[in-house]
């Protein structure tokens, strides 16, 4: 079979792009390749971990989000041959394309932390990065009366770089509300050198670090977990010398290292870091003119978030349609991404920024100042963003995300 457009991945980015294309031209033949039976609203998992959302609010059947008019191929893509314009699928068959859109997200590399895969889900080891474990986070938080709670953040790149600390602040807020916080030792081990990559948001976050009495340990990377002994091992590099420290814990919230899927990393489409080597603005592949990449799979320097995919999808849609006509890209992407940092139940520091750390707030500061914790941003996250995701983004309604024409004033 040859399709006009093949999309690898029916997640946030892939479905939004398919809908945006069909909205403009219902006649193109599109195949979405994805073996998943379920589609997840992953930004909701932070809220599940704090008992704000139910697990079911974050999941729909993949069949229910698949746009009418696309052919859904329920198999994984195994290899990509961009010279032959062909994809090999999980059952050994292959399909051809005129234009390819690569959006399989990224892979959570739990196995890179020694002992972690077998530790998850027992003896206090949890992660909001797994659908089935987010409720366990909330259970652990409710049950912990005293002791030590560790939260970890791996080296970049990761999706939603704020999510490791979001889990921590919401847990601390629950313990504070029950009067238990003084009895709980909270440590944040961040492999990075800063609390958050965009400096303007750091002061507001530091106020919460201090308010909750969090022991902030930068450049401290989780390398091993022993669930039976309830001990986590962190590696710290100082002056080129690395030392390992062991920290006993009662609760450990882990965020795993994150890598490109093999289908991309092992293909000619990969950049040196394994992600899809696309131009940062047009999202077109740097070497293959009929290939585009977006979402977490893209080797771009924006924050890997659903918010980024929401803005990227219409850009890729119009550029892919142009490529189908043999024309150059017509729209560009400014690197917009957003990270709603849930600093307490009811308040969020809403980080919104693009390439080079340029602030790109969606609202005027008198309405919503993203550098400060606000109730308005919490309302947005709790009440507005889920319907914007399910009813807007996935259905090609490009609310506040119309594709920007190349050369037009911003
Ligand atoms: C705990 C957590 C909190 C987050 N919080 C926020 C937030 O507050 N705000 C925000 O904007 N973002 C947030 N994110 C990030 C956001 O969820 C992701 O950036 C977004 O889902 C990326 O979309 P994607 O389509 O690239 O990848 P995904 O949504 O992960 O979808 C990838 C799809 O590709 C499929 N796939 C994988 N491999 C293959 C293959 N070989 N062949 C075919 N298909 C394949 C998968 O089955 C999946 O359906 C959060 C993420 C997590 C985990």
């Amino acid at each position: 079979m040859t399709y006009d457009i093949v999309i690898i991945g029916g997640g946030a980015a892939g479905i939004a792009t398919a809908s945006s294309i069909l909205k403009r031209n219902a006649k193109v033949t599109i195949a979405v390749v994805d073996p998943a039976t379920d589609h997840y609203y992953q930004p909701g998992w932070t809220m599940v971990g704090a008992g704000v959302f139910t697990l079911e609010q974050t999941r729909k059947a993949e069949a229910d989000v698949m746009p009418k008019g696309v052919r859904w191929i329920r198999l994984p893509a195994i290899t990509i041959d961009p010279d032959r314009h062909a994809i090999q699928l999980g059952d050994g068959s292959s399909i051809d394309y005129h234009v390819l859109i690569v959006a399989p997200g990224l892979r959570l590399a739990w196995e890179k932390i020694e002992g972690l895969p077998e530790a998850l889900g027992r003896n206090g080891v949890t992660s909001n990065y797994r659908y089935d474990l987010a409720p366990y986070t909330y259970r652990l938080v409710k049950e912990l009366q005293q002791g030590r709670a560790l939260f970890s953040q791996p080296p970049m790149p990761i999706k939603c770089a704020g999510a490791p600390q979001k889990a921590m602040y919401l847990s601390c807020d629950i313990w504070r509300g029950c009067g238990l916080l003084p009895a709980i030792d909270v440590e944040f081990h961040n492999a990075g050198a800063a609390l958050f990559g965009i400096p303007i948001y750091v002061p507001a976050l530091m106020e919460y670090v201090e308010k909750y009495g969090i022991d902030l340990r930068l450049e401290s990377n989780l390398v091993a977990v022993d669930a039976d002994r309830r001990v986590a091992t962190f590696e710290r590099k100082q002056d080129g010398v690395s030392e390992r420290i062991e920290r006993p814990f009662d609760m450990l919230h882990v965020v795993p290292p994150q890598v490109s899927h093999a289908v991309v990393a092992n293909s000619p489409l990969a950049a040196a870091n394994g992600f899809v080597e696309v131009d940062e603005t047009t999202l077109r592949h740097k070497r293959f003119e009929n290939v585009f990449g977006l979402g977490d799979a893209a080797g771009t320097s924006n924050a890997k978030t659903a918010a980024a995919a929401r803005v990227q999808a219409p850009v890729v849609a119009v550029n892919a349609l142009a490529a189908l006509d043999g024309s150059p890209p017509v729209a560009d992407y400014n690197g917009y991404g957003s990270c709603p940092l849930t600093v307490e139940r009811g308040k969020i520091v809403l980080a919104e920024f693009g390439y080079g750390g340029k602030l790109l707030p969606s609202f005027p500061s008198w309405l919503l100042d993203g550098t400060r914790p606000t109730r308005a941003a919490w309302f947005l996250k709790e009440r507005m963003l889920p319907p914007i995701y399910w009813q807007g983004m996935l259905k090609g309604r490009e609310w506040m995300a119309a594709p920007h024409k190349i050369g037009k004033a911003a």
Side-chain angles (χ1 to χ4, degrees):
M1 276 296 289
T2 301
Y3 295 89
D4 291 330
I5 298 176
V6 169
I7 302 176
I8 299 179
I15 296 295
T17 308
S19 294
S20 277
I21 293 170
L22 288 171
K23 192 181 109 168
R24 290 176 172 83
N25 184 344
K27 290 203 178 118
V28 285
T29 58
I30 303 178
V32 173
V33 179
D34 196 322
T37 50
D38 294 309
H39 181 109
Y40 299 105
Y41 177 59
Q42 298 168 34
W45 295 349
T46 297
M47 305 294 257
V48 174
V52 183
F53 286 178
T54 64
L55 205 48
E56 282 310 301
Q57 280 174 277
T58 69
R59 186 184 66 89
K60 281 190 200 286
E62 184 74 19
D64 292 344
V65 299
M66 200 54 68
K68 304 252 169 322
V70 308
R71 164 92 192 277
W72 176 21
I73 299 176
R74 302 175 193 210
L75 291 165
I78 304 295
T79 59
I80 304 169
D81 184 343
D83 293 314
R84 283 188 43 244
H85 303 178
I87 313 282
Q88 201 208 335
L89 303 172
D91 64 353
S93 66
S94 67
I95 52 170
D96 295 347
Y97 59 82
H98 294 299
V99 169
L100 174 65
I101 297 171
V102 186
L106 50 67
R107 187 174 76 77
L108 302 173
W110 306 100
E111 78 288 354
K112 284 184 181 266
I113 296 173
E114 191 190 320
L116 179 59
E118 53 276 29
L120 284 163
R122 65 185 182 99
N123 286 3
V125 184
T126 189
S127 179
N128 287 348
Y129 275 65
R130 239 175 63 181
Y131 172 77
D132 58 323
L133 290 181
Y136 185 50
T137 302
Y138 185 48
R139 202 182 102 198
L140 290 174
V141 173
K142 279 191 306 182
E143 286 173 3
L144 193 66
Q145 306 277 316
Q146 58 175 14
R148 182 176 296 127
L150 306 178
F151 294 81
S152 78
Q153 176 171 324
M156 292 292 147
I158 63 169
K159 52 181 156 185
C160 197
Q165 51 191 299
K166 292 189 217 177
M168 175 174 68
Y169 299 135
L170 289 176
S171 303
C172 287
D173 191 44
I174 292 170
W175 293 323
R176 186 190 56 161
C178 311
L180 293 170
L181 193 56
I184 299 172
D185 228 358
V186 182
E187 294 178 10
F188 185 40
H189 292 260
N190 181 349
L195 181 57
F196 193 70
I198 311 296
I200 197 164
Y201 301 107
V202 172
L205 300 175
M206 276 309 295
E207 282 171 28
Y208 279 90
V209 167
E210 277 153 27
K211 179 171 156 184
Y212 294 135
I214 294 164
D215 182 354
L216 175 59
R217 304 202 179 191
L218 299 175
E219 297 182 303
S220 178
N221 188 23
L222 179 65
V223 290
V225 178
D226 184 335
D228 295 329
R229 285 172 56 227
R230 288 187 181 239
V231 169
T233 306
F234 296 90
E235 197 170 73
R236 283 200 71 177
K237 281 210 175 76
Q238 270 179 329
D239 305 324
V241 183
S242 67
E243 58 160 353
R244 286 187 162 217
I245 60 156
E246 288 195 343
R247 303 297 293 155
F249 63 82
D250 298 283
M251 171 184 166
L252 169 64
H253 180 274
V254 183
V255 176
Q258 301 175 27
V259 299
S260 180
H261 279 292
V263 65
V264 175
N266 299 338
S267 81
L269 302 180
N273 65 3
F275 289 88
V276 190
E277 189 176 12
V278 291
D279 175 81
E280 294 235 312
T281 59
T282 63
L283 303 173
R284 182 168 75 165
H285 198 274
K286 287 188 177 167
R287 287 170 282 115
F288 299 96
E289 292 191 344
N290 63 338
V291 177
F292 296 82
L294 79 159
D296 294 347
T300 44
S301 61
N302 60 276
K304 291 187 185 298
T305 55
R310 184 169 62 84
V311 177
Q312 292 170 339
V315 171
V316 170
V318 294
N319 288 347
L321 286 170
L324 209 50
D325 281 346
S327 305
V330 289
D332 58 9
Y333 165 60
N334 60 5
Y336 176 85
S338 160
C339 191
L341 292 138
T342 49
V343 285
E344 61 178 280
R345 187 167 179 147
K347 282 193 185 167
I348 276 176
V349 172
L350 182 62
E352 292 180 288
F353 50 92
Y355 288 136
K358 185 178 176 200
L359 301 193
L360 295 172
S362 299
F363 307 96
S365 59
W366 57 265
L367 185 62
L368 198 165
D369 178 0
T371 66
R372 301 297 312 156
T374 62
R375 293 198 181 280
W378 180 274
F379 180 78
L380 187 75
K381 166 99 184 155
E382 187 186 13
R383 303 288 170 87
M384 306 291 291
L385 289 178
I388 286 175
Y389 182 80
W390 296 114
Q391 308 306 330
M393 174 174 168
L394 295 190
K395 299 204 183 300
R397 298 188 181 110
E398 296 160 5
W399 297 328
M400 298 174 81
H404 176 261
K405 268 196 180 156
I406 293 174
K408 202 175 151 207

